Amino acid sequence: MAHYQRIGNVPDKRHTQHRTPEGGLYYEELMGEEGFSSDSSLLYHRRLPSSITNARSWDLGDSQATTPNQPLLPRHLKLHDLFLDETWRGVDAVTGRRLVLGNGDLRISYVVADAPSPFYRNGVGDECVFVESGAARVETVFGAFDVASGDYLVMPRATTHRWIPAGEEPLRAYCIEASSHIAPPKGYLSKFGQLLEHAPYCERDLRLPRGPLLAEDSGVGVDDPAEVYIKHRGRGPNGIAGTVYTYPHHPLDVVGWDGCLYPYAFNVSDFEPITGRVHQPPPVHQVFEGYNFVICNFVPRKVDYHPLSIPVPYYHSNVDSDEVMFYVEGDYAARKGSGISKGSVSLHPGGHAHGPQPGSYERSIGVEYFDELAVMVDTFRPLELGEAGRAVDDGTYAWSWAGGKDEPPVDGAG
Ligand SMILES: [Fe+2]
C-alpha cells in the first residue's frame, strides 16, 4: 500500500541512533520492494534480525508439484471433499496447505486447520489469503490481526508471521501465493497511489495490524529461541524450496515501524459492487492484481436493469486467460445444474468458451438480485493441477453444457 503508516516506537529521524530505555540500540531493518526503488518500511528490532544459529531444509516433497491440464478441460474441483472426517485436526494453516492449482506465477492452495502454525515467511512472493470460514489471530512482525469469514489478508513477501486458529469451528482458508507482489489494480489508483473515487473500496476499508506485538504479548521472552519456516526460490517444483532457520531470539521483537509496506486485511463485504443496465464485465469485480494474474470477487448485488437484459454472463472465451472461480456463499445462478455449490472451484481454461449452464441463460431473465459470493483468479499463463486439485476433480463438469459425454472416456477426464 502506498499510504504511510507509523506504529509503535520510531525515532524522529530515520537511520539515526534509536535507544532502548537501558541505553542500548534498537536495530533498524529496511524491508523494501524492488531493491531500494519501491515501497518500503523501516522496522526497529530489539535483537539482530540477521542472527541465525541453525538451518535445515524444509522438505516440501511434491506439495508444490503440478501436472498439466491435459487434455484441456474445464474442471470442477470440490474443495470441501478435502480434509474430510475431521482430518483437519492437528493441521496448521501454513504447513497443511494442499495445492489445488498453480503455475510459475502463483499457486492456489486450500487448508482446513485448527492448530497454530509455526512462524513462517514466504520469500517467493506476496500472499493473499481469503478466509472462507472460521477465525484466526495472525501474528506478524508488524502487529496482529483478527481475521474471520470474508477477510482477505494480504501479506507482503518475507513478512514473518503465524496463523493461530480461534473459535469453535476450524479455519478454512483459500491461499493465493504469488511469485510477485499483490496490490490494488493500477486503474484504481491516483498517480501517487491513493484509491480513486471510482474504486469499489478505499483506504478506510483496509485494516492495519495492531502493534507493536512483542514476544511478551505471546507469553514468551525476547531471548527465547524460535524456528521460522521459509518458502523461497529454489530448485523444487515450480521453482520453490523450503528452509527452516533457528533464531536465538523470538521473531516478535519489533518495537515500532513506519512506511508504506505492511500487511493489511480487507473484508469482501466492504467491496461496493458496480452494476449497470446491461451485464458488467469481470474487470468491475477486480479487487487485487499481481504479475500475470488478477483477483476479482463477485458479491451480492443488484443485477442488470435494462428491460431486455440477461443478468447471467454471456458466453465468453477469455483467449488469454485461465479463469478460476471459488464459490463461497449463496446461490450461483449461472452454474445451476452443474453440481457446483459452496466450496466448489471451477477452472475454465483459455481455449475453451464457457458460460452459463443450460437453462440458466433463460431463467435469469427478470431476476433483480444475485445472492452470490465468489472469489475469482484469472491467470495469463495456463494453470496446472496440484495434488489436491487432482484428488477432488469431479470428472464430469466438462460435459455439463452438453448433458453428458460420449464414450469411450477421454483419457484423464474421469
Ligand atoms: Fe467466466
Side-chain angles (χ1 to χ4, degrees), residues 1 31-34 38-39 97 104-109 120-129 142 153-159 161 174-184 231-233 240 260-264 288-291 293 295:
M1 287 307 293
M31 189 169 160
E33 295 179 344
E34 299 180 18
S38 187
D39 292 351
R97 294 178 188 180
D105 298 320
L106 87 168
R107 273 69 51 201
I108 298 173
S109 62
Y120 161 68
R121 62 174 173 259
N122 189 331
V124 180
D126 293 358
E127 295 191 354
C128 176
V129 176
F142 292 89
L153 186 62
V154 178
M155 191 67 67
R157 175 188 276 176
T159 301
H161 66 285
Y174 186 75
C175 311
I176 301 162
E177 300 179 17
S179 301
S180 60
H181 296 301
I182 296 174
K231 205 176 273 181
H232 55 86
R233 291 168 284 192
I240 298 168
C260 295
L261 180 66
Y262 46 83
Y264 57 92
F288 300 116
E289 66 187 14
Y291 179 71
F293 70 92
I295 303 173

CSV table of all heavy atoms in Angstrom, one decimal, residues 1 31-34 38-39 97 104-109 120-129 142 153-159 161 174-184 231-233 240 260-264 288-291 293 295:
chain,number,residue,atom,x,y,z
A,1,MET,N,0.8,-1.2,0.0
A,1,MET,CA,0.0,0.0,0.0
A,1,MET,C,0.9,1.2,0.0
A,1,MET,O,1.9,1.3,0.7
A,1,MET,CB,-0.9,0.0,1.2
A,1,MET,CG,-2.0,-1.0,1.2
A,1,MET,SD,-3.0,-0.9,-0.3
A,1,MET,CE,-3.7,0.7,-0.1
A,31,MET,N,12.8,-3.0,5.1
A,31,MET,CA,12.1,-4.0,4.3
A,31,MET,C,11.5,-3.3,3.0
A,31,MET,O,10.6,-2.5,3.2
A,31,MET,CB,11.0,-4.6,5.1
A,31,MET,CG,10.4,-5.9,4.5
A,31,MET,SD,9.4,-6.7,5.8
A,31,MET,CE,8.4,-7.7,4.7
A,32,GLY,N,12.1,-3.6,1.9
A,32,GLY,CA,11.7,-2.8,0.7
A,32,GLY,C,11.6,-3.6,-0.5
A,32,GLY,O,12.2,-4.7,-0.7
A,33,GLU,N,10.7,-3.2,-1.4
A,33,GLU,CA,10.4,-3.9,-2.7
A,33,GLU,C,11.3,-3.3,-3.8
A,33,GLU,O,11.7,-2.2,-3.8
A,33,GLU,CB,8.9,-3.8,-3.0
A,33,GLU,CG,8.0,-4.5,-2.0
A,33,GLU,CD,6.6,-4.4,-2.3
A,33,GLU,OE1,6.2,-3.5,-3.1
A,33,GLU,OE2,5.8,-5.1,-1.7
A,34,GLU,N,11.6,-4.2,-4.8
A,34,GLU,CA,12.3,-3.8,-6.0
A,34,GLU,C,13.6,-3.1,-5.6
A,34,GLU,O,13.9,-1.9,-6.0
A,34,GLU,CB,11.4,-2.9,-6.9
A,34,GLU,CG,10.2,-3.6,-7.3
A,34,GLU,CD,9.3,-2.7,-8.2
A,34,GLU,OE1,9.8,-1.7,-8.7
A,34,GLU,OE2,8.1,-3.0,-8.3
A,38,SER,N,11.2,0.9,-4.5
A,38,SER,CA,9.7,0.9,-4.4
A,38,SER,C,9.3,1.0,-3.0
A,38,SER,O,10.1,1.5,-2.1
A,38,SER,CB,9.1,-0.3,-5.1
A,38,SER,OG,7.7,-0.2,-5.2
A,39,ASP,N,8.1,0.7,-2.6
A,39,ASP,CA,7.6,0.8,-1.3
A,39,ASP,C,8.4,0.1,-0.3
A,39,ASP,O,9.0,-1.0,-0.5
A,39,ASP,CB,6.1,0.3,-1.2
A,39,ASP,CG,5.1,1.1,-2.0
A,39,ASP,OD1,5.5,2.2,-2.4
A,39,ASP,OD2,4.0,0.7,-2.1
A,97,ARG,N,-1.3,-26.7,4.0
A,97,ARG,CA,-1.9,-26.3,2.7
A,97,ARG,C,-1.8,-27.3,1.7
A,97,ARG,O,-0.7,-27.9,1.5
A,97,ARG,CB,-1.3,-25.0,2.2
A,97,ARG,CG,-1.5,-23.8,3.1
A,97,ARG,CD,-0.8,-22.5,2.6
A,97,ARG,NE,-1.0,-21.5,3.6
A,97,ARG,CZ,-0.5,-20.2,3.5
A,97,ARG,NH1,0.2,-19.9,2.4
A,97,ARG,NH2,-0.6,-19.3,4.4
A,104,GLY,N,4.0,-21.0,-12.6
A,104,GLY,CA,5.1,-20.3,-12.2
A,104,GLY,C,4.8,-18.9,-11.6
A,104,GLY,O,5.6,-18.3,-10.9
A,105,ASP,N,3.6,-18.4,-11.8
A,105,ASP,CA,3.2,-17.1,-11.4
A,105,ASP,C,2.5,-17.1,-10.0
A,105,ASP,O,2.5,-16.1,-9.3
A,105,ASP,CB,2.3,-16.4,-12.4
A,105,ASP,CG,3.0,-16.2,-13.7
A,105,ASP,OD1,4.2,-15.8,-13.7
A,105,ASP,OD2,2.4,-16.4,-14.8
A,106,LEU,N,1.7,-18.2,-9.8
A,106,LEU,CA,1.0,-18.2,-8.5
A,106,LEU,C,0.6,-19.7,-8.2
A,106,LEU,O,0.5,-20.5,-9.1
A,106,LEU,CB,-0.2,-17.3,-8.5
A,106,LEU,CG,-1.5,-17.8,-9.0
A,106,LEU,CD1,-2.7,-16.9,-8.6
A,106,LEU,CD2,-1.5,-18.0,-10.5
A,107,ARG,N,0.4,-19.9,-6.9
A,107,ARG,CA,-0.2,-21.2,-6.5
A,107,ARG,C,-1.4,-20.9,-5.7
A,107,ARG,O,-1.4,-20.0,-4.8
A,107,ARG,CB,0.8,-22.0,-5.6
A,107,ARG,CG,1.8,-22.9,-6.4
A,107,ARG,CD,2.9,-22.1,-7.2
A,107,ARG,NE,3.5,-21.1,-6.4
A,107,ARG,CZ,4.2,-20.1,-6.9
A,107,ARG,NH1,4.2,-19.9,-8.2
A,107,ARG,NH2,4.7,-19.2,-6.1
A,108,ILE,N,-2.5,-21.7,-5.9
A,108,ILE,CA,-3.7,-21.6,-5.1
A,108,ILE,C,-3.8,-22.9,-4.3
A,108,ILE,O,-3.8,-24.0,-4.8
A,108,ILE,CB,-4.9,-21.5,-6.0
A,108,ILE,CG1,-4.8,-20.2,-6.8
A,108,ILE,CG2,-6.2,-21.5,-5.2
A,108,ILE,CD1,-5.9,-20.0,-7.9
A,109,SER,N,-3.9,-22.8,-3.0
A,109,SER,CA,-4.0,-23.9,-2.1
A,109,SER,C,-5.1,-23.8,-1.2
A,109,SER,O,-5.7,-22.7,-1.0
A,109,SER,CB,-2.7,-24.2,-1.4
A,109,SER,OG,-2.4,-23.2,-0.5
A,120,TYR,N,6.5,-18.3,10.0
A,120,TYR,CA,6.6,-18.6,8.6
A,120,TYR,C,6.8,-17.3,7.8
A,120,TYR,O,6.3,-16.3,8.2
A,120,TYR,CB,5.3,-19.3,8.1
A,120,TYR,CG,5.0,-19.3,6.6
A,120,TYR,CD1,5.8,-20.0,5.7
A,120,TYR,CD2,3.9,-18.6,6.1
A,120,TYR,CE1,5.5,-20.0,4.4
A,120,TYR,CE2,3.6,-18.6,4.8
A,120,TYR,CZ,4.4,-19.3,3.9
A,120,TYR,OH,4.1,-19.4,2.6
A,121,ARG,N,7.6,-17.4,6.7
A,121,ARG,CA,7.6,-16.3,5.8
A,121,ARG,C,7.7,-16.8,4.4
A,121,ARG,O,8.4,-17.8,4.2
A,121,ARG,CB,8.6,-15.2,6.1
A,121,ARG,CG,10.0,-15.6,6.1
A,121,ARG,CD,10.9,-14.3,6.3
A,121,ARG,NE,12.3,-14.7,6.4
A,121,ARG,CZ,12.9,-14.7,7.6
A,121,ARG,NH1,12.3,-14.5,8.7
A,121,ARG,NH2,14.2,-15.0,7.7
A,122,ASN,N,7.1,-16.1,3.4
A,122,ASN,CA,7.1,-16.6,2.0
A,122,ASN,C,8.1,-15.6,1.3
A,122,ASN,O,7.8,-14.5,1.1
A,122,ASN,CB,5.7,-16.5,1.4
A,122,ASN,CG,5.7,-17.1,0.1
A,122,ASN,OD1,6.7,-17.1,-0.7
A,122,ASN,ND2,4.5,-17.6,-0.3
A,123,GLY,N,9.2,-16.2,0.9
A,123,GLY,CA,10.3,-15.4,0.2
A,123,GLY,C,10.1,-15.5,-1.3
A,123,GLY,O,10.9,-14.9,-2.0
A,124,VAL,N,9.0,-16.1,-1.7
A,124,VAL,CA,8.8,-16.2,-3.2
A,124,VAL,C,8.0,-15.1,-3.7
A,124,VAL,O,8.2,-14.5,-4.7
A,124,VAL,CB,8.1,-17.6,-3.5
A,124,VAL,CG1,7.8,-17.7,-5.0
A,124,VAL,CG2,8.9,-18.8,-3.0
A,125,GLY,N,7.0,-14.7,-2.9
A,125,GLY,CA,6.1,-13.5,-3.3
A,125,GLY,C,5.1,-13.2,-2.2
A,125,GLY,O,5.1,-13.8,-1.1
A,126,ASP,N,4.2,-12.3,-2.5
A,126,ASP,CA,3.2,-11.9,-1.6
A,126,ASP,C,2.1,-13.0,-1.5
A,126,ASP,O,2.0,-13.8,-2.5
A,126,ASP,CB,2.5,-10.6,-2.1
A,126,ASP,CG,3.4,-9.4,-2.0
A,126,ASP,OD1,4.5,-9.5,-1.6
A,126,ASP,OD2,2.9,-8.3,-2.4
A,127,GLU,N,1.4,-13.0,-0.4
A,127,GLU,CA,0.3,-14.0,-0.3
A,127,GLU,C,-1.0,-13.2,-0.1
A,127,GLU,O,-1.0,-12.1,0.5
A,127,GLU,CB,0.5,-14.9,0.9
A,127,GLU,CG,1.6,-15.8,0.8
A,127,GLU,CD,1.6,-16.9,1.8
A,127,GLU,OE1,0.8,-16.9,2.8
A,127,GLU,OE2,2.5,-17.8,1.7
A,128,CYS,N,-2.1,-13.7,-0.6
A,128,CYS,CA,-3.4,-13.2,-0.4
A,128,CYS,C,-4.2,-14.3,0.1
A,128,CYS,O,-4.5,-15.2,-0.7
A,128,CYS,CB,-4.0,-12.5,-1.6
A,128,CYS,SG,-5.7,-12.0,-1.4
A,129,VAL,N,-4.5,-14.4,1.4
A,129,VAL,CA,-5.3,-15.5,2.0
A,129,VAL,C,-6.7,-15.1,2.2
A,129,VAL,O,-7.0,-14.1,2.9
A,129,VAL,CB,-4.6,-16.0,3.3
A,129,VAL,CG1,-5.4,-17.1,3.9
A,129,VAL,CG2,-3.2,-16.5,3.0
A,142,PHE,N,4.7,-6.9,12.1
A,142,PHE,CA,4.1,-5.6,12.1
A,142,PHE,C,3.0,-5.4,13.1
A,142,PHE,O,2.6,-4.3,13.4
A,142,PHE,CB,3.5,-5.3,10.7
A,142,PHE,CG,4.5,-5.2,9.6
A,142,PHE,CD1,5.0,-6.3,8.9
A,142,PHE,CD2,5.1,-3.9,9.3
A,142,PHE,CE1,5.9,-6.2,7.9
A,142,PHE,CE2,6.0,-3.8,8.2
A,142,PHE,CZ,6.4,-4.9,7.5
A,153,LEU,N,-6.4,-11.4,3.6
A,153,LEU,CA,-5.2,-10.9,4.3
A,153,LEU,C,-4.1,-10.9,3.3
A,153,LEU,O,-3.7,-11.9,2.8
A,153,LEU,CB,-4.9,-11.8,5.5
A,153,LEU,CG,-3.7,-11.3,6.4
A,153,LEU,CD1,-4.1,-9.9,7.0
A,153,LEU,CD2,-3.4,-12.3,7.5
A,154,VAL,N,-3.6,-9.7,3.0
A,154,VAL,CA,-2.5,-9.5,2.0
A,154,VAL,C,-1.2,-9.4,2.8
A,154,VAL,O,-1.1,-8.5,3.6
A,154,VAL,CB,-2.8,-8.3,1.1
A,154,VAL,CG1,-1.6,-8.1,0.2
A,154,VAL,CG2,-4.1,-8.4,0.4
A,155,MET,N,-0.3,-10.3,2.6
A,155,MET,CA,0.9,-10.5,3.4
A,155,MET,C,2.1,-10.2,2.5
A,155,MET,O,2.4,-11.0,1.6
A,155,MET,CB,0.9,-11.9,4.0
A,155,MET,CG,2.0,-12.1,5.0
A,155,MET,SD,1.7,-11.1,6.5
A,155,MET,CE,0.2,-11.9,7.2
A,156,PRO,N,2.8,-9.1,2.6
A,156,PRO,CA,4.0,-8.9,1.8
A,156,PRO,C,5.0,-10.0,1.9
A,156,PRO,O,5.2,-10.6,2.9
A,156,PRO,CB,4.5,-7.6,2.3
A,156,PRO,CG,3.4,-6.9,3.0
A,156,PRO,CD,2.6,-8.0,3.6
A,157,ARG,N,5.7,-10.2,0.8
A,157,ARG,CA,6.8,-11.2,0.7
A,157,ARG,C,7.7,-11.0,1.9
A,157,ARG,O,8.1,-9.8,2.2
A,157,ARG,CB,7.5,-10.9,-0.6
A,157,ARG,CG,8.8,-11.8,-0.8
A,157,ARG,CD,9.5,-11.3,-2.0
A,157,ARG,NE,9.0,-12.0,-3.2
A,157,ARG,CZ,9.4,-11.7,-4.5
A,157,ARG,NH1,10.4,-10.8,-4.7
A,157,ARG,NH2,8.9,-12.3,-5.5
A,158,ALA,N,8.1,-12.1,2.5
A,158,ALA,CA,9.2,-12.1,3.5
A,158,ALA,C,8.7,-11.5,4.9
A,158,ALA,O,9.5,-11.2,5.8
A,158,ALA,CB,10.4,-11.3,3.1
A,159,THR,N,7.4,-11.4,5.1
A,159,THR,CA,6.8,-11.0,6.4
A,159,THR,C,6.7,-12.2,7.3
A,159,THR,O,6.0,-13.1,7.0
A,159,THR,CB,5.4,-10.3,6.2
A,159,THR,OG1,5.5,-9.2,5.4
A,159,THR,CG2,4.9,-9.9,7.6
A,161,HIS,N,5.4,-14.3,10.1
A,161,HIS,CA,4.1,-14.4,10.7
A,161,HIS,C,3.7,-15.8,11.1
A,161,HIS,O,4.3,-16.7,10.7
A,161,HIS,CB,3.0,-13.7,9.8
A,161,HIS,CG,2.7,-14.5,8.6
A,161,HIS,ND1,3.6,-14.5,7.5
A,161,HIS,CD2,1.7,-15.2,8.2
A,161,HIS,CE1,3.1,-15.2,6.5
A,161,HIS,NE2,1.9,-15.7,6.9
A,174,TYR,N,-8.4,-20.1,1.7
A,174,TYR,CA,-8.1,-20.3,0.3
A,174,TYR,C,-6.9,-19.4,0.1
A,174,TYR,O,-7.0,-18.1,0.2
A,174,TYR,CB,-9.3,-19.8,-0.5
A,174,TYR,CG,-9.3,-19.9,-2.0
A,174,TYR,CD1,-9.5,-21.2,-2.6
A,174,TYR,CD2,-9.2,-18.8,-2.8
A,174,TYR,CE1,-9.5,-21.3,-4.0
A,174,TYR,CE2,-9.2,-18.9,-4.2
A,174,TYR,CZ,-9.4,-20.2,-4.7
A,174,TYR,OH,-9.5,-20.3,-6.1
A,175,CYS,N,-5.7,-20.0,-0.2
A,175,CYS,CA,-4.5,-19.3,-0.1
A,175,CYS,C,-3.9,-19.0,-1.5
A,175,CYS,O,-3.7,-20.0,-2.3
A,175,CYS,CB,-3.5,-20.1,0.7
A,175,CYS,SG,-4.1,-20.7,2.3
A,176,ILE,N,-3.7,-17.8,-1.9
A,176,ILE,CA,-3.2,-17.4,-3.2
A,176,ILE,C,-1.7,-16.9,-2.9
A,176,ILE,O,-1.5,-15.9,-2.3
A,176,ILE,CB,-4.0,-16.3,-3.9
A,176,ILE,CG1,-5.5,-16.8,-4.0
A,176,ILE,CG2,-3.4,-15.9,-5.2
A,176,ILE,CD1,-6.5,-15.7,-4.3
A,177,GLU,N,-0.8,-17.7,-3.4
A,177,GLU,CA,0.6,-17.4,-3.2
A,177,GLU,C,1.2,-17.0,-4.5
A,177,GLU,O,1.3,-17.8,-5.5
A,177,GLU,CB,1.4,-18.6,-2.6
A,177,GLU,CG,0.9,-19.1,-1.3
A,177,GLU,CD,1.6,-20.4,-0.8
A,177,GLU,OE1,2.7,-20.6,-1.4
A,177,GLU,OE2,1.1,-21.1,0.0
A,178,ALA,N,1.6,-15.7,-4.6
A,178,ALA,CA,2.2,-15.2,-5.8
A,178,ALA,C,3.7,-15.4,-5.9
A,178,ALA,O,4.3,-15.6,-4.9
A,178,ALA,CB,1.8,-13.7,-6.0
A,179,SER,N,4.2,-15.2,-7.1
A,179,SER,CA,5.6,-15.1,-7.3
A,179,SER,C,6.0,-13.7,-7.5
A,179,SER,O,7.1,-13.4,-7.9
A,179,SER,CB,6.1,-15.9,-8.5
A,179,SER,OG,5.8,-17.3,-8.3
A,180,SER,N,5.1,-12.8,-7.2
A,180,SER,CA,5.3,-11.3,-7.4
A,180,SER,C,4.6,-10.6,-6.2
A,180,SER,O,4.2,-11.2,-5.3
A,180,SER,CB,4.6,-10.9,-8.7
A,180,SER,OG,3.2,-11.2,-8.7
A,181,HIS,N,4.4,-9.3,-6.4
A,181,HIS,CA,3.6,-8.6,-5.4
A,181,HIS,C,2.2,-8.6,-5.7
A,181,HIS,O,1.8,-8.7,-6.9
A,181,HIS,CB,4.2,-7.2,-5.3
A,181,HIS,CG,5.6,-7.2,-4.8
A,181,HIS,ND1,6.0,-7.7,-3.6
A,181,HIS,CD2,6.8,-6.7,-5.3
A,181,HIS,CE1,7.3,-7.6,-3.4
A,181,HIS,NE2,7.8,-7.0,-4.5
A,182,ILE,N,1.3,-8.4,-4.7
A,182,ILE,CA,-0.1,-8.3,-4.9
A,182,ILE,C,-0.5,-6.9,-4.4
A,182,ILE,O,-0.2,-6.5,-3.3
A,182,ILE,CB,-0.8,-9.4,-4.1
A,182,ILE,CG1,-0.4,-10.8,-4.6
A,182,ILE,CG2,-2.3,-9.2,-4.1
A,182,ILE,CD1,-1.0,-12.0,-3.8
A,183,ALA,N,-1.3,-6.2,-5.2
A,183,ALA,CA,-1.7,-4.8,-4.9
A,183,ALA,C,-3.0,-4.5,-5.5
A,183,ALA,O,-3.6,-5.2,-6.3
A,183,ALA,CB,-0.6,-3.9,-5.5
A,184,PRO,N,-3.6,-3.4,-5.1
A,184,PRO,CA,-4.9,-2.9,-5.7
A,184,PRO,C,-4.6,-2.7,-7.2
A,184,PRO,O,-3.5,-2.3,-7.6
A,184,PRO,CB,-5.2,-1.6,-5.0
A,184,PRO,CG,-4.6,-1.7,-3.7
A,184,PRO,CD,-3.3,-2.5,-3.9
A,231,LYS,N,9.6,-20.3,2.8
A,231,LYS,CA,9.4,-20.8,1.5
A,231,LYS,C,10.2,-19.8,0.6
A,231,LYS,O,10.1,-18.6,0.7
A,231,LYS,CB,7.9,-20.7,1.1
A,231,LYS,CG,7.5,-21.7,0.1
A,231,LYS,CD,6.0,-21.6,-0.1
A,231,LYS,CE,5.2,-22.6,0.9
A,231,LYS,NZ,3.8,-22.5,0.7
A,232,HIS,N,11.0,-20.4,-0.3
A,232,HIS,CA,11.9,-19.5,-1.1
A,232,HIS,C,12.1,-20.0,-2.5
A,232,HIS,O,11.8,-21.2,-2.8
A,232,HIS,CB,13.2,-19.3,-0.4
A,232,HIS,CG,14.0,-20.5,0.0
A,232,HIS,ND1,14.8,-21.1,-0.9
A,232,HIS,CD2,14.0,-21.3,1.1
A,232,HIS,CE1,15.3,-22.2,-0.3
A,232,HIS,NE2,14.8,-22.4,0.9
A,233,ARG,N,12.7,-19.2,-3.3
A,233,ARG,CA,13.0,-19.7,-4.7
A,233,ARG,C,14.1,-20.7,-4.6
A,233,ARG,O,15.1,-20.6,-3.8
A,233,ARG,CB,13.5,-18.5,-5.5
A,233,ARG,CG,12.3,-17.5,-5.8
A,233,ARG,CD,12.8,-16.2,-6.4
A,233,ARG,NE,13.4,-15.3,-5.3
A,233,ARG,CZ,13.7,-14.1,-5.5
A,233,ARG,NH1,13.5,-13.5,-6.7
A,233,ARG,NH2,14.2,-13.4,-4.6
A,240,ILE,N,10.3,-23.7,-6.3
A,240,ILE,CA,10.1,-23.4,-4.9
A,240,ILE,C,10.8,-24.4,-4.0
A,240,ILE,O,10.7,-25.6,-4.3
A,240,ILE,CB,8.6,-23.4,-4.6
A,240,ILE,CG1,7.9,-22.3,-5.4
A,240,ILE,CG2,8.3,-23.1,-3.1
A,240,ILE,CD1,6.4,-22.3,-5.4
A,260,CYS,N,5.4,2.4,4.0
A,260,CYS,CA,4.3,2.1,3.1
A,260,CYS,C,4.2,0.6,2.7
A,260,CYS,O,3.4,0.3,1.8
A,260,CYS,CB,4.4,2.9,1.9
A,260,CYS,SG,4.3,4.7,2.2
A,261,LEU,N,4.9,-0.2,3.4
A,261,LEU,CA,4.9,-1.7,3.1
A,261,LEU,C,4.5,-2.4,4.4
A,261,LEU,O,5.3,-2.4,5.4
A,261,LEU,CB,6.3,-2.1,2.6
A,261,LEU,CG,6.4,-3.6,2.3
A,261,LEU,CD1,5.5,-4.0,1.1
A,261,LEU,CD2,7.8,-4.0,2.0
A,262,TYR,N,3.4,-3.1,4.4
A,262,TYR,CA,2.9,-3.7,5.6
A,262,TYR,C,1.7,-4.6,5.2
A,262,TYR,O,1.1,-4.4,4.1
A,262,TYR,CB,2.4,-2.7,6.6
A,262,TYR,CG,1.6,-1.6,6.1
A,262,TYR,CD1,0.2,-1.8,5.9
A,262,TYR,CD2,2.1,-0.4,5.7
A,262,TYR,CE1,-0.6,-0.8,5.4
A,262,TYR,CE2,1.4,0.6,5.1
A,262,TYR,CZ,0.0,0.4,5.0
A,262,TYR,OH,-0.8,1.4,4.4
A,263,PRO,N,1.4,-5.6,6.0
A,263,PRO,CA,0.2,-6.4,5.7
A,263,PRO,C,-1.1,-5.7,6.0
A,263,PRO,O,-1.1,-4.8,6.8
A,263,PRO,CB,0.4,-7.6,6.6
A,263,PRO,CG,1.2,-7.2,7.7
A,263,PRO,CD,2.1,-6.1,7.2
A,264,TYR,N,-2.1,-6.0,5.3
A,264,TYR,CA,-3.4,-5.4,5.6
A,264,TYR,C,-4.5,-6.4,5.3
A,264,TYR,O,-4.4,-7.4,4.6
A,264,TYR,CB,-3.6,-4.1,4.8
A,264,TYR,CG,-3.5,-4.2,3.4
A,264,TYR,CD1,-4.7,-4.5,2.6
A,264,TYR,CD2,-2.3,-4.1,2.7
A,264,TYR,CE1,-4.6,-4.6,1.2
A,264,TYR,CE2,-2.2,-4.2,1.3
A,264,TYR,CZ,-3.4,-4.5,0.6
A,264,TYR,OH,-3.3,-4.6,-0.8
A,288,PHE,N,-7.7,-7.2,-6.5
A,288,PHE,CA,-6.3,-7.1,-6.4
A,288,PHE,C,-5.7,-7.6,-7.7
A,288,PHE,O,-6.4,-8.2,-8.6
A,288,PHE,CB,-5.7,-7.9,-5.3
A,288,PHE,CG,-6.2,-7.6,-3.9
A,288,PHE,CD1,-7.0,-8.5,-3.2
A,288,PHE,CD2,-5.9,-6.4,-3.3
A,288,PHE,CE1,-7.5,-8.2,-1.9
A,288,PHE,CE2,-6.4,-6.0,-2.1
A,288,PHE,CZ,-7.2,-6.9,-1.4
A,289,GLU,N,-4.4,-7.3,-7.9
A,289,GLU,CA,-3.7,-7.9,-9.0
A,289,GLU,C,-2.2,-8.2,-8.7
A,289,GLU,O,-1.7,-7.6,-7.8
A,289,GLU,CB,-3.7,-7.0,-10.2
A,289,GLU,CG,-3.0,-5.6,-10.1
A,289,GLU,CD,-3.3,-4.7,-11.2
A,289,GLU,OE1,-4.2,-4.9,-12.0
A,289,GLU,OE2,-2.5,-3.7,-11.4
A,290,GLY,N,-1.7,-9.1,-9.4
A,290,GLY,CA,-0.2,-9.4,-9.3
A,290,GLY,C,0.3,-9.6,-10.7
A,290,GLY,O,-0.4,-9.4,-11.7
A,291,TYR,N,1.5,-10.0,-10.8
A,291,TYR,CA,2.1,-10.2,-12.1
A,291,TYR,C,1.5,-11.4,-12.8
A,291,TYR,O,1.5,-12.5,-12.3
A,291,TYR,CB,3.7,-10.4,-12.0
A,291,TYR,CG,4.3,-10.6,-13.4
A,291,TYR,CD1,4.5,-9.6,-14.3
A,291,TYR,CD2,4.8,-11.9,-13.7
A,291,TYR,CE1,5.0,-9.8,-15.5
A,291,TYR,CE2,5.4,-12.1,-15.0
A,291,TYR,CZ,5.5,-11.1,-15.8
A,291,TYR,OH,6.1,-11.3,-17.1
A,293,PHE,N,-1.7,-12.1,-13.2
A,293,PHE,CA,-3.0,-12.6,-12.8
A,293,PHE,C,-3.7,-11.4,-12.1
A,293,PHE,O,-3.1,-10.4,-11.7
A,293,PHE,CB,-2.8,-13.7,-11.8
A,293,PHE,CG,-2.2,-13.3,-10.4
A,293,PHE,CD1,-3.1,-13.0,-9.4
A,293,PHE,CD2,-0.9,-13.3,-10.2
A,293,PHE,CE1,-2.5,-12.6,-8.1
A,293,PHE,CE2,-0.3,-13.0,-9.0
A,293,PHE,CZ,-1.2,-12.6,-7.9
A,295,ILE,N,-7.2,-10.8,-9.2
A,295,ILE,CA,-8.2,-11.4,-8.3
A,295,ILE,C,-9.4,-10.5,-8.3
A,295,ILE,O,-9.3,-9.3,-8.2
A,295,ILE,CB,-7.6,-11.4,-6.9
A,295,ILE,CG1,-6.3,-12.2,-6.8
A,295,ILE,CG2,-8.6,-12.0,-5.9
A,295,ILE,CD1,-5.5,-12.1,-5.5
